[in-house]
Amino acid sequence: MGLKNKPGTFIDRYINNSNVNKHRALELKINYLKGLAFEYEKKHDEFIQKESQLIESYYLEDSQPLNNQLNGETKSDIKRNKLIKKFDQKAYWSRRRFKTSELRRNNEMKVESLLELWDKAQKDKKDDYLKILDQKYPHVSHNSITTNKIEAKIAILDERKAKQYKMMNLKSQKIQQTVKVFLKNNSSRIAKMQNKNTKLNILIANYNQKRLKEDQKLLDRYKPELVALQNTQHSEKQLLKLENHVDKIENVIKMIKDESIHLSVSHLKMYFGGIKAINDLTFDVQKGEIFGLIGPNGAGKTTVFNCITQFYKATSGNMILRNKENHIVNLDDYKTHDMIKEGIARSFQNVELIWELTVLDNLMVAAHSLLITSFFDHMAHTRKLLREDKVIRTKGYQILKNLGIEEYAFRSPYGLPYGVLKKIELARTLMTDPALIILDEPAAGLNDAETRDLANVIKKVNKEYGITIFLVEHDMGLVMSICDRICAISFGKLIGLGSPKEIQSNPEVRKAYLGDDDDE
Ligand code: ATP
């Protein structure tokens, strides 16, 4: 882990790495406990909501007819209305049956006129029916004695409702008490862990300072060596090696000094045989910014991403990252599957979801590398595992809700609009608590409205989660509207770096990428 040939004794490095690992483990535990506390609070809120809804619905069911009676409706009215409703329903269905059967039998005859006749007959029938009903159920307004009786019945219902609420509140108090105890125990545990984490932060910062001094010493030793080598007979390989080494140390020093840099790419080269896909590319990505990488087709954008995420091992150059623990690491020393732990998540040009799983399950799969449960928990299906499952499920659902796509949580992503699938991919990257998200052409295949929508979601993720976004995109509208800074490349070489305005007015970029006209 860390830089090869980096300063400090083996013991120093070993201690620092173990501090970083402790920091990570604590961070996961804190997240889990916070999630669990949230689950308990949610449980109480759900109980109150469900219970009061039930009480209200029972009360309404029982008191509605009584209230109707108080408002002038007598028992005979209720019966009469019920019978008329039945009659109307019968008439409606027989009209439908009549329409279809007559149509089938009498194609040439006008159905409309037949229906008119039928409706008239039905109206006469209904009038007769109403007369009979009126005789059978005469409208009698109730007297004060009946009114009193009804009011007494309503008062009993009110009392019953109040009793039910009282019981509910008692139960709620009990739940609240247990939640309170749980929160108290856990918040003190969380506070203790956060305390430990702060101490670890200090230790890591101290290590960085120590490293800064030792790196500076190394640099003082290597630089004259480099100059001497340049001025004498030298082998190209030896010189490149030393140059690369000095560049690495200089970048680490720069990043320790300037905490606003998240990722530093320097003199990156990637050759595929004779093809120079990336040729001496240097740029920094600042913490918390939206950074865009643009360039014509085949310029090498995806290759840059593949080098950073270690899909490809770069031919030469340095990629230095400030990880989530503020530890400065050389990405070259890591494998692709380590990237998530270092705080990097990525999405691909094509949507890569598991179609057989629900959207929420897709998100949960992404979080598996950050679980705190052990192999044993999974084998034995312990309570801890079930709890963690719930915590992660809630987290996934909240992310979907935050991005406005919670309605798709429980269905398969198969057949969903492309715009939604892209958002699901973005949501999935958030499950790993990344500090840097790398997006490869997020707007590819989207229409204008979907692109605008996605732009807002990317901005939201950047602002609300405080995540650095590094994206490759062809859609100039999207890049210019959301990026804080843009890097333009052509044939693997840097041709412009700056704000969207600066890039738009950069003559070299216009020539290579925008076609040197004023349309875009
Ligand atoms: P696009 O905008 O079309 O996605 P890009 O800017 O992402 O293009 P890359 O895909 O990075 O460009 O490719 C840059 C150059 O590297 C191209 O000439 C490509 O043919 C070459 N290249 C990329 N990957 C490989 C590989 N695995 N083997 C050989 N050549 C490759």
Side-chain angles (χ1 to χ4, degrees), residues 70 141-152:
L70 269 188
S141 64
H142 40 252
N143 52 29
S144 60
I145 299 171
T146 337
T147 310
N148 286 345
K149 266 189 191 163
I150 297 170
E151 276 173 352

Side-chain angles (χ1 to χ4, degrees), residues 255-502:
M255 284 186 72
I256 296 177
K257 280 185 179 166
D258 185 355
E259 291 210 351
S260 67
I261 302 173
H262 199 149
L263 170 75
S264 165
V265 173
S266 123
H267 301 295
L268 183 66
K269 289 181 187 159
M270 180 75 216
Y271 300 165
F272 296 106
I275 302 173
K276 293 184 173 179
I278 313 283
N279 195 2
D280 207 13
L281 191 62
T282 300
F283 61 84
D284 288 343
V285 177
Q286 299 283 321
K287 225 174 170 181
E289 75 173 339
I290 303 184
F291 187 82
L293 184 65
I294 61 168
N297 278 338
K301 304 177 295 289
T302 306
T303 308
V304 173
F305 276 7
N306 284 337
C307 287
I308 292 173
T309 51
Q310 302 305 310
F311 249 61
Y312 296 155
K313 283 289 170 194
T315 311
S316 71
N318 293 303
M319 288 159 292
I320 317 280
L321 175 86
R322 178 187 306 284
N323 70 13
K324 283 200 279 186
E325 293 73 31
N326 205 17
H327 185 45
I328 315 291
V329 296
N330 183 10
L331 286 177
D332 234 7
D333 297 341
Y334 292 83
K335 296 208 167 65
T336 306
H337 60 258
D338 294 326
M339 290 301 127
I340 286 179
K341 287 202 175 121
E342 297 308 312
I344 299 180
R346 106 174 251 190
S347 81
F348 293 87
Q349 256 178 34
N350 302 316
V351 173
E352 310 267 358
L353 294 168
I354 307 170
W355 306 102
E356 289 79 10
L357 297 182
T358 65
V359 170
L360 190 55
D361 285 342
N362 261 288
L363 262 65
M364 289 180 67
V365 169
H368 89 278
S369 60
L370 301 177
L371 301 185
I372 60 164
T373 40
S374 63
F375 178 68
F376 170 75
D377 291 311
H378 285 254
M379 290 298 287
H381 246 254
T382 56
R383 241 177 89 186
K384 193 174 173 189
L385 175 81
L386 299 178
R387 275 190 194 166
E388 189 174 47
D389 190 81
K390 216 170 173 188
V391 167
I392 291 176
R393 196 169 281 277
T394 311
K395 178 179 170 179
Y397 189 76
Q398 272 187 327
I399 290 175
L400 289 174
K401 204 168 166 189
N402 219 357
L403 302 197
I405 44 172
E406 76 273 22
E407 60 186 291
Y408 308 110
F410 304 107
R411 56 161 291 180
S412 151
Y414 190 77
L416 288 179
Y418 209 57
V420 176
L421 294 179
K422 288 276 180 174
K423 281 196 213 168
I424 295 172
E425 280 221 310
L426 191 58
R428 191 177 53 175
T429 58
L430 290 175
M431 285 302 282
T432 60
D433 297 329
L436 171 71
I437 297 182
I438 293 181
L439 301 172
D440 199 354
E441 295 195 26
L446 301 186
N447 63 30
D448 284 355
E450 284 173 334
T451 306
R452 271 197 304 276
D453 199 21
L454 187 73
N456 287 334
V457 173
I458 294 175
K459 269 201 264 183
K460 190 174 178 174
V461 167
N462 172 249
K463 289 263 141 38
E464 281 182 19
Y465 293 82
I467 295 174
T468 311
I469 309 261
F470 182 8
L471 57 92
V472 155
E473 187 49 69
H474 273 299
D475 190 307
M476 277 301 109
L478 177 83
V479 174
M480 296 297 165
S481 66
I482 66 170
C483 288
D484 297 306
R485 282 182 328 126
I486 296 168
C487 170
I489 59 173
S490 177
F491 294 112
K493 273 185 178 281
L494 186 115
I495 52 171
L497 180 67
S499 67
K501 253 193 181 161
E502 284 164 349

Side-chain angles (χ1 to χ4, degrees), residues 212-252:
L212 182 70
K213 273 187 208 152
E214 291 180 20
D215 274 346
Q216 200 72 54
K217 266 189 222 158
L218 265 189
L219 201 60
D220 292 344
R221 206 181 87 201
Y222 285 139
K223 270 214 163 154
E225 259 181 50
L226 185 63
V227 176
L229 200 63
Q230 280 162 343
N231 293 333
T232 54
Q233 281 257 326
H234 59 260
S235 80
E236 201 62 29
K237 215 172 163 189
Q238 212 181 349
L239 182 68
L240 267 178
K241 204 174 161 195
L242 194 56
E243 270 177 355
N244 205 35
H245 201 66
V246 168
D247 180 60
K248 193 186 286 178
I249 299 173
E250 277 177 344
N251 271 300
V252 171

Side-chain angles (χ1 to χ4, degrees), residues 493-514:
K493 273 185 178 281
L494 186 115
I495 52 171
L497 180 67
S499 67
K501 253 193 181 161
E502 284 164 349
I503 289 294
Q504 267 170 324
S505 57
N506 183 322
E508 224 179 310
V509 177
R510 294 184 79 85
K511 200 168 139 207
Y513 192 78
L514 303 171

Side-chain angles (χ1 to χ4, degrees), residues 55 58-59 62-63 154-167:
I55 294 173
Y58 289 153
Y59 177 76
D62 293 342
S63 64
I154 292 181
I156 290 173
L157 286 179
D158 282 341
E159 241 172 62
R160 203 169 74 191
K161 183 174 146 184
K163 228 184 200 171
Q164 280 171 339
Y165 263 109
K166 211 170 157 187
M167 261 157 66

